[in-house]
Amino acid sequence: MDSFSPLYYLQNPIWVFDADNKKILWANDKSLDLWEMTSIEELLDRDFSQEISAAAVATLLEYQQTFKSHQPIKTWWRFTPKQITKNMLCLFSGIPLTDGRTAMLIEVIADESSLRRDLTFSDCSNLALLFSGDGLFISANDAFSSNYGNHLIDLSEFIGDITLSQQWLEDAKKNNHFKCNRLCWTGQRHHWFDIEAKWLSDHSQLLLQLVNITKDKEKLNKEKYNAEHDFLTGLMNRRGISTALKASHHHLSHYSLLFLNLDGFKLINDSYGHAAGDKLLRAVAIRLLNLVKDKGLVARFRGDEFIIQIEKRNYITITHFTDQIIKTLSRPFHIKDIGELSISCSIGTANYPEDANNVDTLVTQADIAMHRAKQRGRNCYYPFLQEMADDLYRKVTLRHHLSQALENHDFELYYQPIIDLTNQQLKGFEALIRWNDESLGQVSPAEFIPLAEETGQIVPLGLWVLHKACHQLAIWTQRYSQPFIISINVSRAQLQPNLAHTIKQIIRQYNVNPSQLALEITESTMLQDYCETKPCLDALAAMGIELYLDDFGTGYSSLSQLHELPISTVKLNQSFVQGEHTSSKVIIEATKAICDKLNLKIVAEGVETQTQLDYINQCGFDYCQGYFFSRPMPVNELEKKYFQAPVMRKLVQLL
């Protein structure tokens, strides 16, 4: 064996194995300890045919097929010389013999003591099972037998399915090999294996080469569980219930999806801390689970929101079931170290498949319905109705278009005259924003202003109005030399400490007299966060800007606070001016009396008839506005009607 002599000097155990004759043809001295031999001659004389399993032989034959493509094989191999088990990481390579056959060059790279971090891999790889063409168990290699024993009878027992075992044999015969992973029975317990099946056509046998992936599977299952469950409550989370419902939709009967939100939970968190809030959420989860039991699914969606899925056959009516939930959660919760806490909930419902046939849409619909329950007073349930989705779609569409309109300044200011009843002349105009969208058409301020306030877009929108109105005021003042006032509506979100400074800069920019500018603010806006808004209002008044209290009578004015506010004028809401009941007249007269006592001017809004105007005059109102005089108009129309002569005409001439 002189042809192998250069290999002799390698420091790792290395030998050449004749797989056909089950003999070692050559080995270096380093191999003796591994094989528990005292001499090379003793090792070369050893007959391995009596101790090597059929599964191991089949595996080695498969290795030889790989060598034909000049590819080495790195794997763990189990040796048992003199009944001593050794795990070695080996490199198998093909090496040509003088007679034209191919032998195996086997080099030991490392053993279990020098490569402990790979030991777990060595215990679960290089496993082999051999089955007959009929699926009967023939043999297992030493690695498999040492770990799992020799208890198998046939392939169907191993994979746990007679039909599948026949399919495996047919697929292997047809395609020569295939790969898969499966939970299998080893004869003692189940394990997950990564399986490579090869059909040995020469012997009509099926060779399975296995890697135990149980630990990886368990880790993945644990990770999957954690990913789909809420750590705090143990309930499924948003992803978990969505996955569960999507996976089982084709099996499910009609069901209801409930979206539940706790009322006032933030107050508990703020008052007692998040630890108390967490305890309450866990207690809520337990009650919901006890109520639903095996009738459906319960999940924590996010924060203090929960989702319940329940098949319709498991409840009498949805009203009855939601009443049960509301009553269950209305009972006091005893929280350790806190005492008893009470809470209520609002619930929205949607139905599968009547409302939607996919989970995500159902969740959205039930969420929309839950918010309607909040609006209806809380501690109740509300079913999803299609018009809710239409309203939401309209709202989302408006929000998007509103953002674009802000960027492009696609708004216009209309102006409605305010008439001075003492001299029948124009006092000025109220600036009113209008929006005509290319695709949506004319959008009412009653629709887009609340949306702008909700989204915070009201601040840049309000700033645009201030610039536009002051610019127009500057043009009219210069052109017509008349000292009338333009009033502008201001939102609560705009009443920030820097508002006075911002308006001062705008006034300077357009060279406008502050006394010609009025800001209209609703009473609810003025009195909300009164201590915060008053400094801002005082600063505006100190600049000489008039402040109007808008929509008077519709809010919750405190007369003591009203007296302290730096307002000059009160605008009585049109609902009283247009009201035909005696109570409306009482409110009109009472408002006038209050304003007289507080030395405030008063404007009647919404005057539409001569009768209304006569009554307002009779009550001694200072100003009025309404359709009886003029609708809000764009600048060009307004100028044609009111600015045809250099001097302002009297009201009697204009009507």
Side-chain angles (χ1 to χ4, degrees), residues 39-137:
S39 68
I40 296 295
E41 290 74 14
E42 182 184 2
L43 181 57
L44 300 185
D45 289 339
R46 183 167 179 167
D47 183 4
F48 288 90
S49 61
Q50 302 301 316
E51 57 186 86
I52 191 169
S53 67
V57 171
T59 301
L60 293 175
L61 290 175
E62 283 302 304
Y63 286 2
Q64 285 187 303
Q65 294 300 316
T66 304
F67 298 154
K68 290 180 180 180
S69 58
H70 306 290
Q71 293 181 359
I73 297 171
K74 182 180 179 181
T75 185
W76 285 89
W77 197 270
R78 188 183 298 270
F79 302 91
T80 54
K82 298 184 179 180
Q83 306 304 313
I84 301 172
T85 300
K86 300 179 179 181
N87 293 319
M88 299 290 176
L89 183 61
C90 302
L91 187 65
F92 291 76
S93 306
I95 188 169
L97 299 176
T98 54
D99 58 6
R101 293 182 302 116
T102 300
M104 290 185 182
L105 177 65
I106 303 169
E107 179 185 3
V108 174
I109 299 174
D111 60 22
E112 60 184 7
S113 60
S114 62
L115 209 58
R116 292 187 184 277
R117 62 186 175 87
D118 285 334
L119 183 57
T120 54
F121 175 73
S122 71
D123 286 338
C124 61
S125 66
N126 190 35
L127 309 170
L129 293 174
L130 189 64
F131 297 91
S132 70
D134 297 328
L136 294 175
F137 175 70

Side-chain angles (χ1 to χ4, degrees), residues 465-489:
V465 172
L466 283 167
H467 275 277
K468 193 74 173 177
C470 287
H471 185 212
Q472 189 62 59
L473 179 59
I475 293 173
W476 283 339
T477 300
Q478 184 178 12
R479 185 177 299 171
Y480 302 108
S481 303
Q482 296 297 323
F484 54 80
I485 292 177
I486 286 185
S487 63
I488 302 168
N489 291 280

Side-chain angles (χ1 to χ4, degrees), residues 10 13 31 62 133 177 180 196 294 301 326 342 362 410 420 452 466 514 529 549 560 610 638 648:
L10 290 175
S31 304
E62 283 302 304
H177 74 281
C180 67
E196 183 175 2
D294 57 351
F301 192 68
I326 291 169
S342 294
L362 282 170
D410 292 337
D420 187 337
L466 283 167
D529 301 323
L549 186 62
S560 62
Q610 183 69 53
L638 185 139
M648 286 290 179

Side-chain angles (χ1 to χ4, degrees), residues 515-564:
S515 64
Q516 290 183 263
L517 185 64
L519 302 181
E520 296 193 14
I521 307 169
T522 62
E523 58 182 317
S524 58
T525 295
M526 279 196 178
L527 299 177
Q528 183 184 10
D529 301 323
Y530 175 75
C531 293
E532 294 182 17
T533 58
K534 191 173 183 302
C536 178
L537 298 175
D538 288 338
L540 292 168
M543 291 169 54
I545 294 173
E546 286 202 51
L547 298 178
Y548 292 179
L549 186 62
D550 194 18
D551 287 339
F552 183 78
T554 60
Y556 47 88
S557 295
S558 163
L559 293 179
S560 62
Q561 289 178 324
L562 192 62
H563 176 67
E564 294 177 1

Side-chain angles (χ1 to χ4, degrees), residues 355-374:
D355 293 321
N357 58 9
N358 69 83
V359 178
D360 295 333
T361 303
L362 282 170
V363 170
T364 299
Q365 292 173 339
D367 187 10
I368 294 170
M370 182 274 293
H371 281 91
R372 183 63 60 90
K374 291 276 190 186

Side-chain angles (χ1 to χ4, degrees), residues 453 456 458-459 490-496 525:
E453 289 179 329
I458 192 65
V459 175
V490 177
S491 167
R492 168 66 184 90
Q494 294 174 262
L495 295 181
Q496 300 298 326
T525 295

